[in-house]
Amino acid sequence: MSEALVIVESPSKAKTISKYLGKGYAVKASLGHVRDLPEKELGVDIENGFAPLYVPIKGKEKVLRELKAAANKADVILLAPDPDREGEAIAWHIAELLGVKNKLVQRVSFNEITKRAVLEAMEHPRELDINRFHSQQARRILDRLVGYKLSPLLWKKVQRGLSAGRVQSVAVRLVVEREEEIEAFRPEEFWELYVTLEADQPPAFVAKVTTHHGDKLKVAAADEAAAIRTALEAGRYVVNGVTQRQQKKRPFPPFITSTLQQTASRRLRMSPSNVMRVAQQLYEGVDINGDGPQGLITYMRTDSVRVSAEAQTAARELITRTYGKEFAPEQPNVYRSRAGAQEAHECIRPTNLELPPEKLRDKLTPPQLKTYELIWRRFLASQMTPATFLVTTVQIANGDYGLAASEHKETFAGHLAAMRDDDENGNGEEPEAKLPPLQESQELAGRQIDSQQKFTQPPPRFTEATLIKELEERGIGRPSTYAAILSTILDKNYVEKVKGAPKDETKTNADKQVKGGLRPTDLGRSVTRLLIASFPDVLNVSFTAWMETQLDEIEEGRADWRTLLTDFWGKFDQDLTRAASEMDNLKLQGELTDIPCDKCGKPMAIKYGRNGPFLACSDFPRCKNTKNFTRDENGRVTVAEQKISTQVCEKCGSPMIEKTGRYGPFLACSAYPKCKNIVSLKKGANRAEAIESNEKCPVCGGPMLLKVSHRGSRFHSCKRYPKCKGTLPYNTGVVCPREGCGGHLVEKSGPKGLFWSCSNYPACKTTFQGEPVAEVCPTCGHPFLLRRKRADAVMFNCPQKTCDYERVETAPVEPPAEAEG
């Protein structure tokens, strides 16, 4: 009997599903997408109905050969990538590339990778969904048109290497506009007064002064607060009323992609990309019993809060058994998804509630366990009864002033028994009192009056979690794109993460409130300003949300994908033509500031170079004066003070100044141009001795030394230099992924910094911007990862564009000792 071929995306998923299906099935992995639009050309025939030119993805030749060989042996081919638009597109492209005829090719999908779900899916295969594929294809072409048309324009007008995107640029705009609100904000002083009171019985409690003559009290200055304090000290405190009411706190819905990312960011301090990577592992399967992997959660890319009847029943049984029948509502809790959600999918939930987190403590990694526990408890709590509180409020009078205090007393834990700290809305801002027994007309003793100076607060900066929430609420992007959007805007240096409180202790409370989160860089501000002026539709939040709605309409078969592209292209093409001639050219004139050049008096302008933004005289090239700059808390550009080093020039004795150039940080003599002495500050640049190498000189066969070039790349140099000038690049030991090449990836450097390329260049032009590390990708099985260093972390990513594996190591990883040479 011939086997049925099942094709999934990742090797780990293939391993899990193969265990469930057993004999009669061959399960293979495509390692994500197998074809896409070409990398170095538009790949869209605009004149011919936006026909896409798809090509096999570089490096997938071997995978495709294996899939075709397996397909030729099978009678039935079941395509089982993820149950979303991207998964449908992968299935469609695989079917096209296999090119099999007279064989049954069908689509299967499962929301969870458990034996029951997999076997049930195999019993109900379906045809490929052409509408869902067209929706993904329209999104891909839209993103290609925007990216490939706007990016070269930015290269010409601002800086080479920039990019723009249909969704990413709107996300940057939101961050920029929030920062502008913060900078424009002017804090206003106000005062609040709190009184410590005692009754006949303890405890003492604190009441807030809230009204004057029955109207809401507003205190704007210290003298007003002092006058109120004097009046209160002269008066009597009398209970004016005591009320009690029952308050219910309902559980939150189970997780969807966006809320999982938000909560994991807030409570676990995990980045969106990191939590999605961990959730992918839990979805695809973890070996917890030694008999093979099993999926622990349902599909993690969903915007639906729907729960299957089977999962509801299992939750109610566990709740009744663990907490008691009063903790399970009479009818299962049902939540409403937002408009446009894909209700065919379920929420993110555990696949087996009989596997609580405590049973898996020794089976999962710490990130996996934290993520699983978050999902497990949130889902269980979502199916429980509300928590109830007895809210007691007391009103107190003192002359013309009114005071208030309240107490929330839990009377029934409800869902809080499963998750007591899942308060997404935060706690109350006012201090809350525990009240003694009180009754109307009772006189109270005033013990202390506390007047507090406060300031109105600016809006907070976006965090990764709140930016995702903003994008979701505005209908921008989809669950599968949020993590990628955030990674892109950070990697492109349009947005940066800010940590810690301001160092300037003289700043107001309002200034100190905005101390972290996502802040736009000067590059992000400039690019956003240019794009808003020239492409108002692309950068329009409402327009972008409307486009997402149209893509949903295409998926539902209610709109045509070519019509959407035609309507978009007409206006976009006109904007492109106009921008080519009218968009400000920051490469030439820069962004003018009100700072005069200290050499010629002309205005200084912000320009962008290899090492970021700087100030340059607008009269360039007649005046070549440049300065570094900073922005103050109000967004104003100010010239950065020169940092004088403790070192003195070894040639003339003048102080040295810290600077940064195209090759990194260095010290320059302050007597320039009379003295042009410089000293590199790059790590390893000033080693007195190089390190002995095991390599042999390719010229003379002699020993070699491992050194570091002035651009920072490692290389081997003949020990007999300068008599012999033989050199070899530093070999990472990672084999070039190009099939049939046989070369190794070596370290090199250019004007833009380090990069890694094939040793067989120019015959093979494979290059990477991250350092290849011989570590197999746990998601797709790729033989190596790329390591990139940041200021506070090291990122490990899979080089496969279709794989979203990412690992963050918070403590910087130092290179091996020999690399320091």
Side-chain angles (χ1 to χ4, degrees):
M1 176 182 174
S2 298
E3 290 184 327
L5 173 62
V6 180
I7 301 177
V8 296
E9 291 179 74
S10 73
S12 57
K13 191 191 298 186
K15 185 177 180 181
T16 306
I17 293 173
S18 181
K19 181 190 73 170
Y20 295 150
L21 295 180
K23 294 182 179 180
Y25 292 90
V27 185
K28 299 290 184 180
S30 70
L31 305 182
H33 280 271
V34 292
R35 72 175 185 177
D36 196 4
L37 299 174
E39 290 186 9
K40 297 184 179 181
E41 59 180 293
L42 182 62
V44 178
D45 189 348
I46 298 173
E47 302 300 325
N48 189 26
F50 298 92
L53 171 64
Y54 292 116
V55 297
I57 293 175
K58 187 178 180 180
K60 288 295 183 75
E61 296 84 0
K62 182 179 178 181
V63 173
L64 286 172
R65 284 200 303 269
E66 291 176 352
L67 292 179
K68 288 179 180 179
N72 290 332
K73 297 177 183 178
D75 289 334
V76 177
I77 301 170
L78 300 173
L79 304 173
D82 288 342
D84 56 12
R85 288 175 186 165
E86 291 298 318
E88 202 71 24
I90 291 172
W92 188 276
H93 289 305
I94 290 173
E96 291 284 310
L97 286 175
L98 291 181
V100 292
K101 297 180 180 179
N102 303 321
K103 292 190 179 184
L104 184 61
V105 179
Q106 292 183 303
R107 174 84 161 103
V108 293
S109 60
F110 19 78
N111 189 53
E112 59 187 76
I113 304 180
T114 58
K115 187 172 184 178
R116 177 198 58 78
V118 170
L119 294 179
E120 183 178 341
M122 294 299 166
E123 293 294 325
H124 300 89
R126 60 171 173 81
E127 298 298 316
L128 285 166
D129 190 332
I130 186 64
N131 291 328
R132 182 173 287 186
F133 169 68
H134 281 162
S135 178
Q136 189 276 343
Q137 180 169 257
R139 176 189 293 276
R140 186 72 185 92
I141 293 174
L142 276 170
D143 292 341
R144 174 56 64 98
L145 292 174
V146 173
Y148 270 55
K149 293 297 184 180
L150 286 189
S151 297
L153 187 63
L154 294 177
W155 292 13
K156 180 180 178 182
K157 302 287 188 176
V158 185
Q159 183 183 11
R160 188 170 180 82
L162 299 182
S163 72
R166 186 179 57 87
V167 178
Q168 78 173 55
S169 296
V170 174
V172 175
R173 176 179 184 171
L174 292 176
V175 177
V176 169
E177 291 180 342
R178 175 61 59 87
E179 193 70 17
E180 289 173 346
E181 287 183 58
I182 294 171
E183 292 169 351
F185 180 83
R186 297 295 176 265
E188 295 181 4
E189 179 185 10
F190 68 97
W191 289 73
E192 291 181 345
L193 289 92
Y194 297 91
V195 182
T196 302
L197 300 169
E198 288 183 352
D200 298 334
Q201 300 181 39
F205 64 98
V206 176
K208 181 183 178 181
V209 184
T210 57
T211 62
H212 184 232
H213 289 299
D215 297 326
K216 183 177 180 180
L217 180 67
K218 295 181 180 181
V219 184
D223 56 350
E224 293 180 40
I228 297 172
R229 183 189 187 103
T230 301
L232 292 174
E233 290 173 341
R236 296 167 51 246
Y237 298 97
V238 179
V239 176
N240 209 19
V242 180
T243 60
Q244 290 186 328
R245 61 185 176 87
Q246 291 287 332
Q247 183 184 68
K248 289 186 176 182
K249 181 177 182 180
R250 301 185 183 280
F252 292 109
F255 281 130
I256 59 177
T257 304
S258 59
T259 54
L260 173 61
Q261 292 174 343
Q262 293 164 37
T263 307
S265 175
R266 178 173 54 84
R267 292 180 53 192
L268 305 182
R269 299 297 186 263
M270 293 176 68
S271 68
S273 58
N274 199 21
V275 72
M276 291 306 291
R277 176 184 62 82
V278 174
Q280 181 94 29
Q281 296 168 358
L282 297 174
Y283 165 68
E284 293 186 346
V286 179
D287 190 352
I288 60 175
N289 296 319
D291 58 352
Q294 65 180 89
L296 297 179
I297 65 170
T298 53
Y299 190 53
M300 65 286 160
R301 292 187 178 91
T302 176
D303 54 2
S304 169
V305 292
R306 185 180 68 83
V307 181
S308 69
E310 181 183 19
Q312 285 178 330
T313 300
R316 292 169 63 81
E317 290 176 354
L318 179 62
I319 292 166
T320 302
R321 187 169 70 246
T322 304
Y323 301 103
K325 62 180 182 180
E326 66 273 19
F327 286 83
E330 293 184 7
Q331 298 295 326
N333 291 337
V334 178
Y335 300 93
R336 180 179 297 178
S337 301
R338 68 175 181 82
Q342 303 295 308
E343 291 294 345
H345 298 166
E346 276 195 71
C347 63
I348 304 173
R349 60 168 178 81
T351 59
N352 184 0
L353 282 171
E354 299 302 324
L355 287 175
E358 48 269 24
K359 279 190 177 182
L360 302 179
R361 294 199 182 278
D362 298 329
K363 310 295 183 181
L364 303 177
T365 65
Q368 288 174 340
L369 181 62
K370 289 179 182 179
T371 305
Y372 180 73
E373 183 169 16
L374 198 66
I375 295 170
W376 194 91
R377 294 192 181 282
R378 174 68 165 252
F379 175 70
L380 192 67
S382 74
Q383 296 303 308
M384 296 174 71
T385 50
T388 58
F389 297 84
L390 178 63
V391 181
T392 302
T393 303
V394 56
Q395 301 293 334
I396 302 162
N398 184 328
D400 296 331
Y401 293 95
L403 297 83
S406 63
E407 177 188 46
H408 286 63
K409 184 177 181 180
E410 182 183 299
T411 56
F412 179 65
H415 67 94
L416 295 180
M419 180 174 262
R420 288 188 169 272
D421 58 348
D422 191 23
D423 183 1
E424 291 189 344
N425 297 319
N427 297 315
E429 296 180 355
E430 299 175 5
E432 185 167 298
K434 289 188 176 181
L435 300 175
L438 298 170
Q439 58 185 2
E440 195 167 346
S441 301
Q442 180 177 354
E443 187 168 338
L444 306 173
R447 295 304 181 204
Q448 180 180 337
I449 300 176
D450 180 22
S451 55
Q452 299 179 6
Q453 181 190 33
K454 296 188 177 183
F455 294 87
T456 55
Q457 300 296 322
R461 284 194 180 107
F462 284 115
T463 62
E464 290 181 294
T466 57
L467 182 56
I468 287 173
K469 184 177 182 180
E470 186 79 7
L471 293 170
E472 181 188 34
E473 289 178 349
R474 290 175 176 255
I476 300 169
R478 282 297 178 263
S480 60
T481 65
Y482 294 138
I485 291 168
L486 286 168
S487 295
T488 298
I489 64 178
L490 288 166
D491 291 343
K492 294 297 182 181
N493 197 35
Y494 292 143
V495 171
E496 62 185 354
K497 290 183 183 179
V498 183
K499 295 183 179 180
K503 295 181 180 179
D504 186 357
E505 296 300 326
T506 64
K507 293 184 178 180
T508 65
N509 291 335
D511 295 325
K512 292 180 182 179
Q513 179 70 18
V514 185
K515 62 183 180 180
L518 301 176
R519 180 176 65 189
T521 63
D522 286 285
L523 181 62
R525 292 172 187 259
S526 296
V527 169
T528 298
R529 179 182 65 80
L530 295 178
L531 293 180
I532 289 175
S534 297
F535 300 92
D537 286 342
V538 174
L539 267 287
N540 185 288
V541 174
S542 299
F543 179 78
T544 305
W546 177 81
M547 292 290 290
E548 297 290 350
T549 303
Q550 292 303 298
L551 292 170
D552 292 340
E553 292 287 306
I554 294 170
E555 182 170 347
E556 297 297 325
R558 295 193 291 266
D560 178 70
W561 68 279
R562 283 192 172 90
T563 300
L564 174 65
L565 294 173
T566 300
D567 293 342
F568 169 79
W569 178 253
K571 178 67 164 55
F572 183 60
D573 189 34
Q574 294 176 7
D575 291 341
L576 280 170
T577 302
R578 185 179 63 255
S581 59
E582 296 181 4
M583 180 185 280
D584 291 345
N585 192 325
L586 301 189
K587 273 189 173 181
L588 296 179
Q589 74 265 27
E591 279 193 87
L592 292 178
T593 70
D594 56 2
I595 299 174
C597 174
D598 57 4
K599 291 187 177 180
C600 72
K602 296 290 180 65
M604 300 290 280
I606 298 175
K607 292 190 176 183
Y608 298 92
R610 294 183 179 90
N611 299 295
F614 63 98
L615 287 176
C617 181
S618 58
D619 199 27
F620 179 86
R622 282 189 289 270
C623 178
K624 298 181 179 180
N625 187 24
T626 62
K627 301 282 185 182
N628 290 327
F629 73 92
T630 59
R631 286 186 185 269
D632 63 17
E633 64 272 14
N634 297 318
R636 292 190 298 266
V637 175
T638 57
V639 176
E641 295 183 5
Q642 288 187 329
K643 294 182 179 180
I644 306 297
S645 172
T646 56
Q647 289 185 319
V648 296
C649 178
E650 60 186 7
K651 293 184 177 181
C652 71
S654 300
M656 299 289 280
I657 300 173
E658 296 182 16
K659 292 188 175 185
T660 300
R662 61 187 298 183
Y663 304 128
F666 66 96
L667 296 177
C669 181
S670 60
Y672 179 86
K674 291 181 179 180
C675 178
K676 299 181 179 180
N677 183 32
I678 62 171
V679 178
S680 174
L681 294 179
K682 183 172 288 187
K683 188 174 182 180
N686 296 318
R687 289 184 60 94
E689 296 181 2
I691 294 177
E692 293 284 347
S693 169
N694 294 325
E695 299 287 344
K696 297 298 181 182
C697 178
V699 177
C700 69
M704 304 192 79
L705 299 175
L706 182 63
K707 297 182 178 181
V708 176
S709 73
H710 69 286
R711 287 181 170 177
S713 60
R714 294 166 285 182
F715 72 101
H716 301 275
S717 174
C718 184
K719 198 171 184 179
R720 297 177 61 240
Y721 179 85
K723 291 183 178 180
C724 178
K725 297 182 179 180
T727 61
L728 284 174
Y730 180 81
N731 194 329
T732 64
V734 175
V735 178
C736 176
R738 182 179 176 185
E739 190 158 352
C741 173
H744 286 78
L745 299 178
V746 298
E747 187 169 296
K748 294 186 178 181
S749 56
K752 294 185 178 181
L754 295 179
F755 67 96
W756 287 262
S757 66
C758 181
S759 57
N760 288 337
Y761 178 86
C764 177
K765 297 182 180 180
T766 299
T767 60
F768 295 96
Q769 294 303 310
E771 180 182 1
V773 179
E775 180 181 338
V776 177
C777 175
T779 299
C780 72
H782 194 272
F784 64 88
L785 300 176
L786 298 180
R787 177 169 60 189
R788 295 179 175 88
K789 294 183 181 180
R790 289 182 175 173
D792 58 348
V794 178
M795 311 288 295
F796 290 84
N797 299 86
C798 180
Q800 291 275 28
K801 292 187 176 181
T802 53
C803 178
D804 61 0
Y805 174 78
E806 178 182 85
R807 183 173 82 250
V808 180
E809 294 185 0
T810 54
V813 177
E814 294 296 330
E818 67 269 20
E820 295 183 8

